[in-house]
Amino acid sequence: MAPEAASSRRRLISTYYDTPDLALKRRGLTLRVREQGGRFIQTVKTGDLTLGADLLRRGEWEDELAENRPDPHASQSGGHLPDGVAGNLQPLFATDVTRTTVAIQPVPATRIEAATDEGVIRAARGDGTEPISEIELELRCGDAATLYDVAMRLLEVAPIRIEPRSKSERGYRLGEGAAVAPPDVHAEPVVLDPAMAVEAALQEIGRACLAHLLRNEAAALAMQPEGVHQMRVAERRIRSAIAAFKKLLPAAECRWVSDELTSLLDILGSARNLDVFATELLQRARADLAHEAGLADLTAALERARREAYARVEHAILSERHAAGMLRLSHWFEARAWRDAQGEPSPKLAAPIGELAPRLLDRRWREVRKRSKRFGRQTTRQRHKLRIAAKKLRYTIELLESLFDPDDVKRFVRRMKRLQDDLGYANDVRVARDLLPELAKEAVSWRAGVRVLEWHEKQLAKGERKFRKQLRRLSRAAPFWRGRKRAGD
């Protein structure tokens, strides 16, 4: 891709520092001193270890040092370190890589520095190591969406995938040891300005959701139930956002985004359903059903099914299809690919998000209220549709909440959460009932599974009156987005 195929090759040894109580890590900062060609460069970065950080944008400050040790008072980078760290820094790990760098200009006015790093991360204490084999694309100037065009071309010739963890994050994990499971990551608030254009808000939402999804891959690969759950939440938030804005977007684009997510969502859903059966439904009923002979058989069957489901999750996450899908979705949001052939947004997409947000929430609210009518006579299928409508409203609120008064949002969401928890519980029992015939192939485990579900159905029946009361309260609640002071007003 380079105009003259020119490249440079050099060895880089970088030592990362922190305090004994990891004060920098807690603040989302990294401090390294890199040795390159006899020079020592100190770098402080922000965003590397912030779990909700935008994967594309990180603050970075550098100083050249006289010797190979950190200087907390350096003019550019030192000012971004917290007070009190001087004299308390120690080396934690180092990276030793051979970097091959090439400058490319894939389109006019866009320059990218592409670097391949091959080497190792070494813990400062002990013999822990982890290999490095990665390609870093750094935008020097121009359109960030072009980064994804280049990555898609690379995917055609090599089995690459997006790695959301920086070298520093991997180094900290190496120091913690293999016994510590990768953390699951919950969604961070999306910060929007009421004056920003609707399409800019959609872009920020897309970036945040994709970061949320990618940062939970490691936990899902380690068979952490919450990692799978959070990946599903991230995908559903993307779909919910696209559905909320669908009247402003080309229909074909909306279908494409939904189709891009469907396959992985189904695979994650199968693992999630088994997790809920095994770790929530079965465990809650176990004490009262300890006399059931088939519980051990049912537990073993669930564990076998979970392992098979997680093998499919691993295969999906590590597949070329998933890598390509994440790159295509990232490009779609970054390039604002919903624009017309001339590259211009529609007038409605150029309008301020603060004006549109109340209407989006109203539409979701009307659907919830419609689905909640005559609740006492509703079938299981109808209640399931109410649950989906409530979930879409909740996701839309969470994505737009920075536009409204936080106290108003919190009160409303608290009521919604109670409703969702009860509806979700009923749906978990329904799904488990569908799973049971495949899981419990022996009579003894079948009986145990039936007893577990009967136990939960009794709990649901006991809570029916309280649930209806909560639903009535929510239906009468004043929507916070109507006629209230918005954040920033």
Side-chain angles (χ1 to χ4, degrees):
M1 297 182 187
E4 299 174 0
S7 65
S8 64
R9 186 177 176 87
R10 52 185 172 164
R11 184 184 182 191
L12 303 175
I13 301 174
S14 303
T15 304
Y16 289 76
Y17 295 82
D18 206 333
T19 63
D21 62 348
L22 305 183
L24 302 186
K25 181 185 178 185
R26 292 200 311 271
R27 291 169 171 80
L29 298 170
T30 57
L31 168 64
R32 77 175 184 221
V33 177
R34 171 174 289 169
E35 179 185 351
Q36 54 184 70
R39 299 169 61 212
F40 305 109
I41 306 297
Q42 174 172 287
T43 304
V44 172
K45 290 187 179 184
T46 61
D48 271 19
L49 301 170
T50 304
L51 295 179
D54 186 339
L55 300 182
L56 281 175
R57 295 177 288 186
R58 291 167 175 159
E60 184 173 331
W61 299 270
E62 291 187 344
D63 289 283
E64 184 164 353
L65 305 180
E67 51 188 340
N68 191 10
R69 65 178 183 180
D71 179 5
H73 305 292
S75 60
Q76 299 299 317
S77 57
H80 297 276
L81 295 173
D83 295 335
V85 300
N88 204 25
L89 295 169
Q90 61 184 22
L92 295 183
F93 55 91
T95 61
D96 186 349
V97 301
T98 299
R99 171 169 292 181
T100 304
T101 305
V102 61
I104 61 176
Q105 190 169 351
V107 295
T110 296
R111 290 191 298 110
I112 294 171
E113 182 179 275
T116 61
D117 286 348
E118 296 177 276
V120 68
I121 306 173
R122 291 192 181 91
R125 294 181 179 83
D127 56 359
T129 62
E130 186 174 321
I132 295 172
S133 178
E134 61 188 36
I135 304 164
E136 181 180 284
L137 302 177
E138 183 176 349
L139 186 69
R140 290 300 191 181
C141 67
D143 183 9
T146 309
L147 292 169
Y148 297 101
D149 292 326
V150 173
M152 289 297 295
R153 291 179 63 185
L154 296 176
L155 185 60
E156 295 173 2
V157 295
I160 64 173
R161 56 188 293 265
I162 298 175
E163 172 56 84
R165 301 170 302 165
S166 63
K167 294 183 182 70
S168 57
E169 187 174 343
R170 293 173 63 194
Y172 274 102
R173 294 288 303 160
L174 182 64
E176 292 171 348
V180 181
D184 55 84
V185 181
H186 288 240
E188 293 286 328
V190 182
V191 180
L192 305 176
D193 186 306
M196 73 193 310
V198 169
E199 68 166 1
L202 179 58
Q203 184 181 58
E204 286 299 312
I205 288 169
R207 286 171 172 168
C209 291
L210 287 170
H212 181 204
L213 190 156
L214 290 167
R215 288 194 180 279
N216 278 288
E217 286 184 354
L221 290 170
M223 286 190 68
Q224 297 293 317
E226 190 61 19
V228 163
H229 178 49
Q230 289 301 319
M231 285 188 72
R232 291 188 77 227
V233 168
E235 292 205 323
R236 290 192 180 280
R237 281 161 63 96
I238 296 174
R239 288 168 64 122
S240 184
I242 298 303
F245 290 93
K246 69 179 180 180
K247 292 188 176 181
L248 312 181
L249 300 171
E253 297 293 307
C254 293
R255 286 193 299 272
W256 171 80
V257 173
S258 180
D259 291 345
E260 197 71 63
L261 296 167
T262 295
S263 176
L264 180 62
L265 195 60
D266 290 343
I267 292 170
L268 293 171
S270 296
R272 175 62 181 167
N273 291 337
L274 291 163
D275 283 336
V276 170
F277 200 156
T279 63
E280 296 181 25
L281 299 183
L282 184 56
Q283 291 303 321
R284 283 179 61 184
R286 186 179 291 277
D288 289 346
L289 301 176
H291 62 281
E292 289 292 337
L295 277 183
D297 292 333
L298 179 61
T299 301
L302 274 166
E303 185 57 27
R304 287 193 297 271
R306 283 185 70 241
R307 291 193 175 280
E308 291 171 2
Y310 271 90
R312 292 190 291 272
V313 167
E314 179 179 5
H315 182 267
I317 290 175
L318 299 180
S319 69
E320 182 178 318
R321 177 178 180 177
H322 177 61
M326 292 300 98
L327 289 171
R328 282 193 293 262
L329 283 169
S330 298
H331 179 273
W332 190 77
F333 283 110
E334 201 62 37
R336 301 185 182 186
W338 48 76
R339 290 183 168 189
D340 62 24
Q342 287 71 44
E344 295 295 327
S346 68
K348 290 182 179 179
L349 283 171
I353 185 61
E355 295 179 4
L356 179 67
R359 296 202 294 274
L360 298 180
L361 293 173
D362 257 336
R363 192 183 310 148
R364 294 288 198 217
W365 177 235
R366 286 195 299 270
E367 183 69 12
V368 170
R369 297 193 70 185
K370 182 180 78 172
R371 296 286 182 190
S372 63
K373 290 179 180 178
R374 294 181 290 278
F375 179 80
R377 288 179 282 172
Q378 286 187 3
T379 64
T380 301
R381 180 177 178 80
Q382 288 171 323
R383 292 190 179 193
H384 176 63
K385 289 183 177 181
L386 169 60
R387 184 184 72 88
I388 297 300
K391 183 175 287 190
K392 288 180 178 179
L393 172 61
R394 168 96 176 269
Y395 288 153
T396 307
I397 289 173
E398 289 174 348
L399 294 171
L400 301 174
E401 65 178 306
S402 62
L403 300 172
F404 301 95
D405 182 270
D407 292 332
D408 290 343
V409 174
K410 188 179 297 183
R411 280 191 293 271
F412 193 90
V413 168
R414 192 184 302 123
R415 288 181 175 178
M416 281 215 64
K417 187 176 185 306
R418 296 191 194 107
L419 174 70
Q420 276 189 272
D421 288 346
D422 288 338
L423 287 170
Y425 180 21
N427 186 65
D428 291 341
V429 176
R430 178 188 66 82
V431 171
R433 192 182 300 116
D434 293 340
L435 289 173
L436 190 58
E438 186 63 27
L439 283 170
K441 297 183 178 180
E442 302 295 330
V444 64
S445 57
W446 168 266
R447 284 195 298 271
V450 170
R451 296 292 184 271
V452 168
L453 298 182
E454 288 175 346
W455 187 92
H456 284 286
E457 284 162 356
K458 288 178 181 177
Q459 304 306 308
L460 286 168
K462 289 177 184 177
E464 179 78 4
R465 179 178 296 180
K466 182 180 179 181
F467 175 76
R468 292 189 194 184
K469 185 177 180 181
Q470 291 173 349
L471 184 57
R472 286 194 297 271
R473 284 180 177 174
L474 179 66
S475 296
R476 291 195 296 264
F480 63 84
W481 55 88
R482 294 181 187 166
R484 297 293 186 93
K485 184 178 179 181
R486 293 194 295 266
D489 285 356

